[in-house]
């Protein structure tokens, strides 16, 4: 279905071939603004092979210069990754194939290599290609070129923007790609550690650097030490979420556009955080601080940003299932206070009720497991007593009992919830 945004984008694209270079640049700016307002479905409707073929034709007929094309394609790629679109039309188009050939040709030059051109080509290609259309050779060249661009420490606004796009492009290289550590680890550690000392990156650039590393972690458990201890992922994620939460006046309706931009940054962080807590043993003393930051974000967002709130609760579910996250950390970080506030207001109509029940079921399961060693047993008993005291104050057992019918009703096979009400109780 055509919307105002998609209609205006298509109209402006059709008008480009009859414009001067300066007029083209202005219209491309307008096209970029319309793309910024599109949702995933609108964007998919304009990102067709025909559009890329039209751009290719304008280049061939010299109706668009290369600089304007790069300006347009960079933003198309940026929106594609921001909206998490899996569109593969660019890679299958003649323009995408031409870009791949140009990258390989430019990279193989022995003399007079145009590094700026190569970086621009790699930014567009990395963001616009999909897994199925991105060869290993192309990936290797783009990885090297983008890392080199991201390492630039020029403080000018233009340089910072180019570094941001380079890192954003790198963040789109997801876990489908298995890349040897020697090709990226030292460079990415340098980028992250330099920022921690000098604060030279934008929020988006810094998050993108971490996202690239987390994708690598999913294929290589040996990266955990670097991510947790050398570059302090958990501490940094907590700090960034806290800062982003403060940046937004969540109650002001007129700030929808700004909130939308900030919300995207927050959601990228939540997605980046969720993967390692679902898969790996990332427990350390910084986790309590991260939980505190997520709780603060939940309280700020729950009235006006339901999607952000639900994703935070889902993150707590991931933590609850991981033995690496101590139950005491969830208690000290305020997660149980938040969960009890919310669960008291839930009803049959709340589709997310299964997540709250799942968190308590997983915690109960963990605290009932047998343990070895006197010290571990004492610590487990102390944790149970603290949690039981907290839940008793809130009337937890009565609340859970009231959900018996919901537990019977929920699709248990999908949510892996138990039919036994006692599995949600926690006894000291």
């Amino acid at each position: 279905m055509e919307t105002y945004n998609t209609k205006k984008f298509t109209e402006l694209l059709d008008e480009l071939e009859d414009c001067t270079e300066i007029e083209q640049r202005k219209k491309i700016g307008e096209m970029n603004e319309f793309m910024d307002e599109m949702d995933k479905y609108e964007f998919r409707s304009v990102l067709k092979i025909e559009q890329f073929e039209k751009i290719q034709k304008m280049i061939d007929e010299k109706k668009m210069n290369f600089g304007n094309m790069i300006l347009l394609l960079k933003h198309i790629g940026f929106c594609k990754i921001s909206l998490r679109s899996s569109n593969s039309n660019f890679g299958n188009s003649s323009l995408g194939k031409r870009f791949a050939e140009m990258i390989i040709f430019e990279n193989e030059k022995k003399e007079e290599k145009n590094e700026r051109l190569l970086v621009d080509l790699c930014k567009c290609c990395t963001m616009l290609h999909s897994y199925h259309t991105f060869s290993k050779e192309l990936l290797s060249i783009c990885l090297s070129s983008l890392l080199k661009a991201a390492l630039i420490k020029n403080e000018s606004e233009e340089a910072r923007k180019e570094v941001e796009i380079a890192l954003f492009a790198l963040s789109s290289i997801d876990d489908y790609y298995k890349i040897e550590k020697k090709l990226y680890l030292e460079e990415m550690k340098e980028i992250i550690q330099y920022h921690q000392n000098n604060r030279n990156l934008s929020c988006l650039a810094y998050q993108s650097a971490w996202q690239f590393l987390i994708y690598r972690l999913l294929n290589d458990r040996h990266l955990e030490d670097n991510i947790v201890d050398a570059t302090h992922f958990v501490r940094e994620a907590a700090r960034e979420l806290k800062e982003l939460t403060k940046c937004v006046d969540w109650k002001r309706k007129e700030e929808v556009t700004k909130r939308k931009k900030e919300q995207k940054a927050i959601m990228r962080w939540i997605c980046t955080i969720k993967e390692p807590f679902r898969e790996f043993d990332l427990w350390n003393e910084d986790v309590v601080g991260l939980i505190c930051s997520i709780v603060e974000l939940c309280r700020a967002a729950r009235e006006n940003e339901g999607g952000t709130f639900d994703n935070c609760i889902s993150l707590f579910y991931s933590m609850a299932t991981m033995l690496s996250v101590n139950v005491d950390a969830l208690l000290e970080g305020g997660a149980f206070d938040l969960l009890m506030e919310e669960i008291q207001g839930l009803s049959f109509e709340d589709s997310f009720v299964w997540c709250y029940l799942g968190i308590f079921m997983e915690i109960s399961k963990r605290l009932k497991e047998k343990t070895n060693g006197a010290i571990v047993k004492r610590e487990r008993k102390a944790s149970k007593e603290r949690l039981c005291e907290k839940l008793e104050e809130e009337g937890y057992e009565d609340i859970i009992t009231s959900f018996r019918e919901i537990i019977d009703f929920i699709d248990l096979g999908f949510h892996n919830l138990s039919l036994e009400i006692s599995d949600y109780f926690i006894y000291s």
Side-chain angles (χ1 to χ4, degrees):
M1 180 178 174
E2 190 176 49
T3 66
Y4 178 76
N5 289 329
T6 60
K7 181 181 178 182
K8 291 301 294 182
F9 178 91
T10 304
E11 286 176 358
L12 286 165
L13 181 62
D14 290 338
E15 292 169 9
L16 289 181
E17 59 183 333
D18 298 319
C19 295
T20 64
E21 181 180 331
I22 295 173
E23 289 171 338
Q24 262 188 9
R25 187 166 287 261
K26 183 181 176 183
K27 286 185 183 292
I28 288 170
E30 292 176 41
M31 292 170 72
N32 291 347
E33 288 175 6
F34 284 116
M35 278 191 282
D36 288 336
E37 296 301 315
M38 291 181 190
D39 61 26
K40 192 172 185 176
Y41 304 101
E42 288 177 303
F43 187 73
R44 187 184 298 164
S45 73
V46 300
L47 204 63
K48 298 176 180 176
I49 283 187
E50 292 82 6
Q51 312 287 37
F52 294 119
E53 298 299 344
K54 184 187 292 286
I55 295 170
Q56 171 72 67
K57 185 180 178 184
M58 281 191 274
I59 290 291
D60 288 340
E61 295 177 353
K62 300 191 182 335
K63 293 180 178 178
M64 178 187 283
N65 68 32
F66 207 80
N68 282 349
M69 177 185 67
I70 291 293
L71 184 66
L72 177 59
L73 291 180
K74 269 188 192 177
H75 203 76
I76 293 175
F78 182 87
C79 291
K80 175 179 179 284
I81 303 306
S82 295
L83 294 168
R84 305 181 78 181
S85 170
S86 57
N87 193 299
S88 61
N89 287 337
F90 179 79
N92 292 321
S93 70
S94 57
L95 183 61
K97 290 167 185 172
R98 179 176 177 181
F99 263 54
E101 291 170 1
M102 289 177 69
I103 287 171
I104 293 168
F105 175 77
E106 196 64 40
N107 185 64
E108 289 176 348
K109 282 184 179 178
K110 302 298 181 185
E111 297 178 0
E112 298 182 358
K113 185 184 294 186
N114 188 334
E115 294 286 355
R116 178 64 183 269
L117 171 62
L118 183 59
V119 169
D120 279 338
L121 290 168
C122 288
K123 285 174 181 174
C124 295
C125 230
T126 306
M127 291 188 288
L128 287 167
H129 264 280
S130 69
Y131 172 65
H132 301 292
T133 59
F134 212 31
S135 70
K136 287 184 178 180
E137 181 182 15
L138 201 57
L139 172 64
S140 177
I141 297 169
C142 288
L143 178 65
S144 174
S145 179
L146 292 172
L147 280 171
K148 191 183 296 184
L151 280 162
I152 294 171
K153 298 178 176 68
N154 187 323
E155 294 298 321
S156 73
E157 189 59 35
E158 182 183 0
R160 282 164 60 88
K161 188 63 182 176
E162 291 306 315
V163 167
E164 179 181 83
I165 295 296
L167 286 167
F168 189 78
L170 284 166
S171 76
S172 70
I173 303 175
D174 58 30
D175 58 310
Y176 285 110
Y177 302 96
K178 295 182 180 179
I179 307 170
E180 293 181 64
K181 283 197 294 281
K182 65 181 181 181
L183 298 178
Y184 67 85
L185 185 56
E186 291 309 311
E187 290 89 342
M188 198 56 75
K189 280 172 63 177
E190 180 182 340
I191 289 165
I192 287 172
Q193 289 172 339
Y194 186 84
H195 172 74
Q196 288 171 353
N197 293 325
N198 299 278
R199 299 295 163 196
N200 64 307
L201 299 176
S202 67
C203 172
L204 176 62
Y206 191 46
Q207 186 280 329
S208 296
W210 275 116
Q211 187 165 309
F212 174 86
L213 269 187
I214 295 303
Y215 279 143
R216 310 288 75 77
L217 175 65
L218 299 181
N219 286 319
D220 188 350
R221 292 290 299 261
H222 299 296
L223 279 175
E224 279 193 68
D225 288 342
N226 285 289
I227 286 174
V228 175
D229 298 322
T231 47
H232 311 287
F233 170 68
V234 180
R235 182 195 72 192
E236 292 296 296
R239 188 187 58 76
E240 289 290 313
L241 274 184
K242 188 180 286 285
E243 288 301 312
L244 280 166
T245 301
K246 288 177 182 175
C247 282
V248 181
D249 184 347
W250 297 87
K251 296 179 181 179
R252 288 184 61 186
K253 299 291 186 182
E254 60 266 30
E255 286 200 6
V256 170
T257 303
K258 182 180 178 184
R259 260 214 326 269
K260 184 177 179 182
K261 179 182 177 183
E262 300 294 347
Q263 186 188 11
K264 282 182 181 178
I266 288 169
M267 288 301 299
R268 280 174 64 84
W269 266 111
I270 291 172
C271 292
T272 303
I273 293 165
K274 188 179 290 188
E275 291 302 331
F277 277 107
R278 186 158 38 200
E279 303 285 344
F280 302 104
D281 298 327
L282 283 168
W283 162 255
N284 64 22
E285 66 275 10
D286 294 322
V287 170
V288 173
L290 177 58
I291 292 168
C292 285
S293 292
I294 298 168
V295 168
E296 284 180 28
L297 173 60
C298 279
R299 290 206 163 101
R302 62 180 157 193
E303 290 186 15
N304 294 317
E305 294 292 351
T308 301
F309 182 85
D310 287 350
N311 274 279
C312 288
I313 298 298
S314 179
L315 181 50
F316 284 135
Y317 180 79
S318 295
M319 290 183 175
T321 63
M322 293 299 296
L323 295 176
S324 57
V325 179
N326 196 302
V327 174
D328 285 338
L330 290 166
L331 190 58
E332 290 171 26
F336 284 109
D337 290 308
L338 175 74
L339 292 168
M340 288 308 301
E341 289 169 18
E342 292 303 314
I343 202 169
Q344 293 183 58
L346 292 177
S347 66
F348 287 97
E349 288 76 29
D350 291 293
S351 60
F352 218 57
V353 67
W354 71 267
C355 193
Y356 294 89
L357 294 171
I359 291 171
F360 285 106
M361 184 189 73
E362 292 295 336
I363 294 298
S364 175
K365 186 193 303 181
R366 284 171 57 181
L367 291 177
K368 289 173 184 174
E369 290 173 349
K370 291 183 178 180
T371 57
N372 297 318
I375 294 175
V376 175
K377 286 180 179 178
R378 282 199 301 272
E379 290 176 347
R380 175 68 61 81
K381 185 178 180 181
S383 295
K384 284 182 180 180
E385 288 175 351
R386 291 180 65 203
L387 189 52
C388 283
E389 185 178 339
K390 163 63 68 180
L391 297 181
E392 188 175 345
E393 289 174 7
E394 303 288 347
Y396 169 73
E397 289 192 15
D398 290 339
I399 295 168
I400 288 298
T401 302
S402 74
F403 283 120
R404 178 182 293 277
E405 292 179 48
I406 293 181
I407 292 170
D408 291 341
F409 178 76
I410 288 174
D411 180 354
L412 297 170
F414 179 76
H415 295 301
N416 296 316
L417 293 178
S418 171
L419 279 169
E420 297 295 327
I421 199 76
S422 61
D423 287 340
Y424 302 89
F425 292 157
I426 297 166
Y427 304 107
S428 58

